Amino acid sequence: MSTDTLTTQKAFLKYLLRLADDRLILGQRVSEWCGHGPVLEEDLALANIALDLIGHSSALYAYAAQIEDKGHDDDYFAYFRDDYEFTNLQLCELPKGDFGFTIARHFLFSSFSYYQYELLKNAKDEQFRGMINKHLKEIKYHLRHSRDWVLRLGDGTEESHERIQNAFDEVWMYVDELFYTDDVDEIMIASGNGADVNSFKDDWKKFVEDTLTEATLTIPDWDQYMISGSRNGMHTEHLGLILTQLQFLRRSHPEADWK
Amino acid sequence: MSTKTLYIEQQIWDYLQEVTDPEIPVLNIIEMGIARGVSIEGDKVTVFITPTYSGCPAMDAIEKMVKEKLVEKGVSNFDVKLDFSQTWTTDWMTDEAKIKLKDFGIAPPEKTTSEEDFLKSISGTKIVPCPLCDSFETELQSQFGSTACKAQYFCNSCHQPFEHFKCI
């Protein structure tokens, strides 16, 4: 095997894990709303969205295991890695906050995912492409859902307006990481399986600005201090705590089987 | 030999027809477009199924039900494989299935449209007729219903809540 092949393979593995970690951690976060939704419909909606995200992560992890070729499976990546090995965005690990925060975060994440997956849906790798196309259909529902709520809360009561505005102000410093790229992205783009996120950055920003403006919200400052580092394993304290909850059962009973 | 193989393949399809969707018991997995193919090599039977939604908890149940059905029918050498090569769409649902859904009280999915302009049409909501009284005076309550594949609607004519099978 040439060094080149090895690099491409490693990059593919890292790329899949980044995508999967985002979705596992955010899915776990969103699932915290189960039984706590503001209204029954939203309880169901958020539980469904969480299920979709965890389903996406499971498929991506399974494929990562195949690419890695070390006999691991999807559960290995979810349950048996430590916080510094997770490469999800800090945006995804932040506590669920109030309903406004959950919606603001999800609107930013799902709109970004939509643009990203629109590029990935033409990936060269057949199995990866199949997954992306499937997940994209569901992302559209997530985006429609969170966008509707941004408008309703922003253009709603005084309190809902204030809360969603605070949520966007609070989460803003985490958005720049969405557009972080390194050699993993370069290799993936070159091999025809990656999305050049900076190619849609302006379109995404305009879409976000248009939605916030329609929701009568103030657009926070794009040039403020922005967080970085999570793609290389740097995280907030919240990741450790969410992993404890997510992993403890599996680690206590590593041989347990549903079947 | 080939006649015999064809006969067996049809037989497997007949068995699959008896496996119903655990969430929507009026439909079988062929009508749902979940059972995608049957292949036979010698005495080995392979059934291909495609998942509907990524997070659909019914998928494992469906896989198990297919296996149980084959065992029940005396098929001993078989494999059930997940087929991801094509993306499941509600367009695979048969017309007959859509009528059954409506009779069951679920507004069936309409044909999917090309979503090139998804972001432009994002705020538009489509009108879904009430499966109970056929009224068009309905409103969307939530994009997500009791399962990932359904949305919640309310009919302002007969004042009944109902579910709409989302088209994807």
Side-chain angles (χ1 to χ4, degrees), chain A residues 48 115 134 137-138 140-141, chain B residues 51-52 54 88 115 119 145:
Chain A
N48 269 310
Y115 279 102
K134 181 163 196 58
K137 290 185 176 192
E138 293 157 11
K140 287 178 183 172
Y141 270 98
Chain B
T52 53
S54 309
W88 185 82
E115 285 196 329
L119 290 181

Side-chain angles (χ1 to χ4, degrees), chain A residues 50-111:
Chain A
L51 265 178
D52 279 345
L53 288 169
I54 293 170
H56 296 178
S57 74
S58 164
L60 292 161
Y61 282 138
Y63 196 40
Q66 205 178 311
I67 299 284
E68 188 195 34
D69 201 21
K70 283 186 181 169
H72 290 143
D73 62 0
D74 49 349
D75 279 0
Y76 166 80
F77 289 116
Y79 296 124
F80 296 104
R81 286 181 306 148
D82 290 322
D83 48 5
Y84 62 89
E85 293 168 283
F86 273 77
T87 52
N88 60 281
L89 297 164
Q90 293 187 15
L91 176 75
C92 298
E93 73 203 32
L94 298 172
K96 76 182 200 303
D98 62 8
F99 183 65
F101 185 83
T102 286
I103 290 299
R105 181 223 324 253
H106 217 91
F107 169 70
L108 296 167
F109 182 78
S110 57
S111 54

Side-chain angles (χ1 to χ4, degrees), chain A residues 27-225:
Chain A
Q28 176 78 7
R29 269 292 175 237
V30 176
S31 78
E32 290 172 2
W33 281 101
C34 190
H36 300 273
V39 286
L40 181 61
E41 288 80 1
E42 277 318 294
D43 205 289
L44 289 171
L46 292 169
N48 269 310
I49 290 170
L51 265 178
D52 279 345
L53 288 169
I54 293 170
H56 296 178
S57 74
S58 164
L60 292 161
Y61 282 138
Y63 196 40
Q66 205 178 311
I67 299 284
E68 188 195 34
D69 201 21
K70 283 186 181 169
H72 290 143
D73 62 0
D74 49 349
D75 279 0
Y76 166 80
F77 289 116
Y79 296 124
F80 296 104
R81 286 181 306 148
D82 290 322
D83 48 5
Y84 62 89
E85 293 168 283
F86 273 77
T87 52
N88 60 281
L89 297 164
Q90 293 187 15
L91 176 75
C92 298
E93 73 203 32
L94 298 172
K96 76 182 200 303
D98 62 8
F99 183 65
F101 185 83
T102 286
I103 290 299
R105 181 223 324 253
H106 217 91
F107 169 70
L108 296 167
F109 182 78
S110 57
S111 54
F112 172 83
S113 300
Y114 169 76
Y115 279 102
Q116 186 186 27
Y117 275 46
E118 273 293 321
L119 293 180
L120 291 176
K121 74 176 185 187
N122 300 315
K124 265 190 190 166
D125 185 282
E126 194 190 342
Q127 204 172 329
F128 183 49
R129 190 174 64 230
M131 249 175 249
I132 293 296
N133 277 287
K134 181 163 196 58
H135 301 173
L136 178 58
K137 290 185 176 192
E138 293 157 11
I139 288 168
K140 287 178 183 172
Y141 270 98
H142 301 177
L143 176 53
R144 197 174 265 146
H145 169 262
S146 55
R147 183 183 171 277
D148 281 354
W149 273 108
V150 169
L151 298 178
R152 269 164 109 172
L153 296 173
D155 199 9
T157 66
E158 205 178 313
E159 186 184 354
S160 72
H161 177 91
E162 193 188 325
R163 285 200 188 203
I164 190 92
Q165 181 68 59
N166 287 344
F168 277 110
D169 291 345
E170 200 182 318
V171 82
W172 214 251
M173 68 193 262
Y174 297 92
V175 299
D176 202 45
E177 271 210 304
L178 290 164
F179 296 94
Y180 168 85
T181 56
D182 58 17
D183 51 346
V184 172
D185 298 84
E186 278 167 34
I187 293 169
M188 289 300 287
I189 294 165
S191 70
N193 288 312
D196 180 2
V197 291
N198 285 301
S199 70
F200 60 74
K201 191 172 181 179
D202 289 343
D203 290 341
W204 176 80
K205 276 167 95 167
K206 186 174 183 309
F207 175 73
V208 169
E209 286 175 359
D210 288 350
T211 306
L212 265 63
T213 304
E214 197 183 330
T216 71
L217 294 167
T218 309
I219 299 152
D221 185 5
W222 291 110
D223 295 323
Q224 65 173 285
Y225 172 73

Side-chain angles (χ1 to χ4, degrees), chain B residues 4-133:
Chain B
K4 195 183 167 199
T5 314
L6 277 175
Y7 167 73
I8 295 169
E9 194 177 312
Q10 186 53 50
Q11 197 68 49
I12 301 296
W13 282 111
D14 289 347
Y15 298 159
L16 293 176
Q17 205 161 2
E18 294 176 25
V19 181
T20 55
D21 185 299
E23 299 283 358
I24 311 162
V26 288
L27 295 184
N28 67 51
I29 60 168
I30 301 172
E31 292 168 320
M32 280 288 290
I34 292 172
R36 299 306 299 162
V38 171
S39 84
I40 292 169
E41 269 177 69
D43 68 337
K44 173 81 181 274
V45 174
T46 309
V47 174
F48 295 92
I49 57 174
T50 291
T52 53
Y53 278 75
S54 309
C56 182
M59 225 35 231
D60 285 344
I62 290 171
E63 193 179 333
K64 199 164 159 243
M65 286 160 76
V66 170
K67 288 177 180 166
E68 280 168 2
K69 179 58 73 183
L70 293 174
V71 170
E72 178 198 316
K73 296 291 182 183
V75 183
S76 52
N77 189 6
F78 64 82
D79 203 359
V80 180
K81 282 189 176 162
L82 289 176
D83 178 9
F84 289 100
S85 63
Q86 283 177 294
T87 313
W88 185 82
T89 158
T90 40
D91 290 345
W92 289 352
M93 226 182 251
T94 60
D95 287 340
E96 203 192 0
K98 289 180 184 174
I99 295 167
K100 282 191 195 173
L101 263 185
K102 183 176 180 291
D103 291 343
F104 190 56
I106 299 172
E110 52 276 29
K111 194 149 174 42
T112 55
T113 46
S114 163
E115 285 196 329
E116 288 300 316
D117 291 311
F118 171 72
L119 290 181
K120 280 182 194 143
S121 64
I122 191 165
S123 53
T125 46
K126 58 184 176 209
I127 296 163
V128 176
C130 172
L132 307 168
C133 73

